[in-house]
Amino acid sequence: MAARHVLPLLSRWSCRVFSVELDGAASYFALGEGREAEAPRLFARLLGAEQRCYSLLVRSAHCVRGARFYAQLRDTLLRELPRDCHLAPMCSFLPEERGSLMRGYFLEDRSESPSRTRAPPGGLAQQQRDALLVCSYRPDRDDRHWTQHVWSRDGGDRVETGTGLFVVSSEAPQNHPATLNIVNSDVFYTYQDARDVLTQCVDVFPEASSVLELLPSGAPSCVPPQFPVIVVEGLDATGKTTLTESLRDALGAALLRSPPPALAPWRARFDQEPPVIRRAFYAVGNYVTAEEVGRRAAKTPVIVDDFWHSTAAYAIATAVPGRRRNLPDEGSEVYRWPSDLLRPSLVVVLTLDPQEERRRLRDRGQEETEEEQELDTNQLFRLRVEEAYRRISGPACVAVDASPPADQLLQQVLLLIQAKHPKW
């Protein structure tokens, strides 16, 4: 990226806020032309130390390649950097501007060197040159204030720009910065947006072509079907399988699952990919399921095991770290139902005490998925998933305690269905 190509990117650079995850908490800073009396907390602890600091932010117009590069960047850094370098997750964003988030890492180089202005160690100047934006940070002459310098490419090498902007303190935003990129990055709200991501995957890994061949050319009809469509959501071991099969038998209904069996051969492959690719795969799976739901519900009731609510709830909870208060505000657009996706007439989410859930998994001898392992070990993640379920609207979930015996649980859900469809 030559210096002349950096200028358009940096035209609003001084308006950006930067966040570094330090010791389990986010430290925010911004850029300015003047000095503050004290350096921001992130840098104040470094004053007087013989260290070099860098930010490495991923930017790419190709969302699939950019996402894969970001996923590979940490492994590259850990492999190539000296042991005395400290790495912390960071991001940069324009406040309140959707889609402006850039992710990367903040690097403290503690290796011995007489210069604080050398290029980042480990050969990073050669890593994905056009996708990696490198900045360095160093104190000024009085050793009290820090400046940020953007590195551009001069020929084949990166060089530090001469004039830097002062690093100044910044307040934490009202919403966690990760919320800025949820729409069409972690959660998809139209069939075409999700399909477009898989189309970008074709020139990256061949399995995407096989999936695209199975997809409809456009979103299936979302006209309300004649018969009831009941979705059952819930974490593993809450009794979804038993309940959905019992509902099928009790109502003479069809039973469908999302992702559908047609996409099952590629599920494990897409689970290995970064979130934007993985979520796009599950999103199109909902539309394929919806197409079959529409056909079946013209003749009979339909029970669906997992649908859009679980896809969205897990994606939101994974994208936004920390406590529940970091989630997008209740009523945010991220909780809205896709306008082109068939709406079920009732969505039941089964809830269960975590200890009881673990006991059931042990009794069944079932291995947990990666996200279920995260739920098991990270209570904050579990709380975020549960809260995201609660906030999704259009339709909202009806929470049902899954601890009673299976026959009692079935009767409870049948009463909910009867209340929703008294004439059916």
Side-chain angles (χ1 to χ4, degrees):
M1 183 167 54
R4 66 179 180 274
H5 294 146
V6 177
L7 295 178
L9 171 67
L10 302 183
S11 60
R12 302 174 65 192
W13 191 252
S14 61
C15 300
R16 284 187 165 268
V17 176
F18 300 80
S19 171
V20 177
E21 295 290 331
L22 186 67
D23 300 326
S27 179
Y28 293 91
F29 66 91
L31 304 172
E33 297 181 356
R35 303 182 181 186
E36 283 192 332
E38 296 181 359
R41 180 175 68 91
L42 173 66
F43 294 92
R45 65 189 179 86
L46 301 176
L47 290 173
E50 291 296 326
Q51 295 187 139
R52 291 161 303 280
C53 299
Y54 306 91
S55 58
L56 308 161
L57 295 167
V58 175
R59 57 176 296 271
S60 176
H62 194 289
C63 75
V64 168
R65 293 188 185 277
R68 296 187 106 215
F69 174 53
Y70 173 71
Q72 297 163 0
L73 180 59
R74 184 175 183 273
D75 291 339
T76 300
L77 292 170
L78 293 176
R79 183 177 63 251
E80 297 194 4
L81 292 177
R83 293 183 178 179
D84 46 4
C85 288
H86 180 263
L87 204 62
M90 78 171 299
C91 66
S92 172
F93 59 96
L94 293 168
E96 308 302 324
E97 184 166 318
R98 198 176 83 180
S100 65
L101 189 72
M102 298 167 60
R103 291 185 173 89
Y105 294 94
F106 187 80
L107 168 64
E108 296 174 21
D109 180 9
R110 301 170 182 174
S111 57
E112 295 182 2
S113 173
S115 171
R116 284 178 170 173
T117 60
R118 73 174 188 180
L124 290 172
Q126 304 304 318
Q127 296 290 328
Q128 293 274 348
R129 291 177 176 176
D130 292 331
L132 190 63
L133 184 62
V134 179
C135 298
S136 58
Y137 302 82
R138 52 191 172 91
D140 61 1
R141 292 181 179 178
D142 64 11
D143 207 31
R144 292 183 58 213
H145 308 95
W146 287 74
T147 52
Q148 182 201 73
H149 299 260
V150 179
W151 289 65
S152 61
R153 202 168 70 222
D154 183 11
D157 300 320
R158 288 189 186 271
V159 295
E160 185 184 66
T161 55
T163 303
L165 293 171
F166 283 98
V167 176
V168 299
S169 296
S170 178
E171 294 183 358
Q174 180 177 355
N175 294 304
H176 192 280
T179 63
L180 296 173
N181 277 32
I182 286 179
V183 175
N184 291 337
S185 180
D186 295 289
V187 184
F188 293 88
Y189 299 88
T190 71
Y191 172 72
Q192 193 59 51
D193 286 329
R195 184 187 171 97
D196 287 346
V197 171
L198 297 190
T199 301
Q200 285 193 35
C201 293
V202 170
D203 60 351
V204 179
F205 57 97
E207 293 87 345
S209 297
S210 300
V211 173
L212 284 170
E213 290 174 358
L214 297 174
L215 300 182
S217 58
S221 171
C222 57
V223 175
Q226 180 178 352
F227 284 83
V229 175
I230 313 301
V231 172
V232 179
E233 302 273 11
L235 308 180
D236 282 355
T238 53
K240 278 189 306 174
T241 299
T242 300
L243 177 61
T244 54
E245 291 178 352
S246 298
L247 287 171
R248 175 196 61 194
D249 297 340
L251 300 174
L255 175 57
L256 302 175
R257 292 180 172 83
S258 185
L263 299 184
W266 294 277
R267 183 173 181 174
R269 176 65 183 84
F270 278 85
D271 279 344
Q272 300 172 10
E273 292 296 324
V276 65
I277 302 173
R278 187 166 67 248
R279 301 306 179 190
F281 172 79
Y282 282 95
V284 298
N286 286 329
Y287 285 94
V288 174
T289 297
E291 188 174 41
E292 182 65 14
V293 168
R295 286 195 292 265
R296 298 290 191 94
K299 302 177 181 178
T300 183
V302 176
I303 309 300
V304 185
D305 184 343
D306 282 348
F307 202 43
W308 191 82
H309 283 76
S310 56
T311 303
Y314 274 96
I316 294 168
T318 302
V320 183
R323 300 185 178 278
R324 282 180 293 184
R325 64 171 178 262
N326 289 342
L327 292 173
D329 293 335
E330 195 159 0
S332 166
E333 63 176 340
V334 306
Y335 301 117
R336 63 177 170 84
W337 187 267
S339 60
D340 61 349
L341 182 63
L342 182 145
R343 295 172 187 263
S345 43
L346 177 65
V347 180
V348 172
V349 58
L350 301 180
T351 62
L352 195 64
D353 178 80
Q355 293 183 349
E356 174 62 15
E357 180 187 337
R358 286 193 292 271
R359 185 193 66 78
R360 291 186 182 185
L361 285 171
R362 287 195 302 269
D363 291 347
R364 284 162 35 180
Q366 176 178 323
E367 294 185 3
E368 294 176 308
T369 65
E370 182 178 344
E371 286 180 327
E372 287 295 329
Q373 289 173 357
E374 179 73 5
L375 284 168
D376 196 23
T377 60
N378 188 336
Q379 181 64 15
L380 289 178
F381 180 60
R382 172 181 288 275
L383 292 174
R384 293 197 305 274
V385 171
E386 293 174 346
E387 184 63 19
Y389 266 123
R390 190 187 71 79
R391 295 185 182 185
I392 293 173
S393 61
C397 291
V398 178
V400 175
D401 180 13
S403 58
D407 57 341
Q408 294 182 25
L409 180 60
L410 171 62
Q411 292 305 314
Q412 185 176 354
V413 175
L414 286 173
L415 288 174
L416 289 173
I417 296 172
Q418 184 179 7
K420 187 73 174 179
H421 300 278
K423 296 182 180 180
W424 180 74

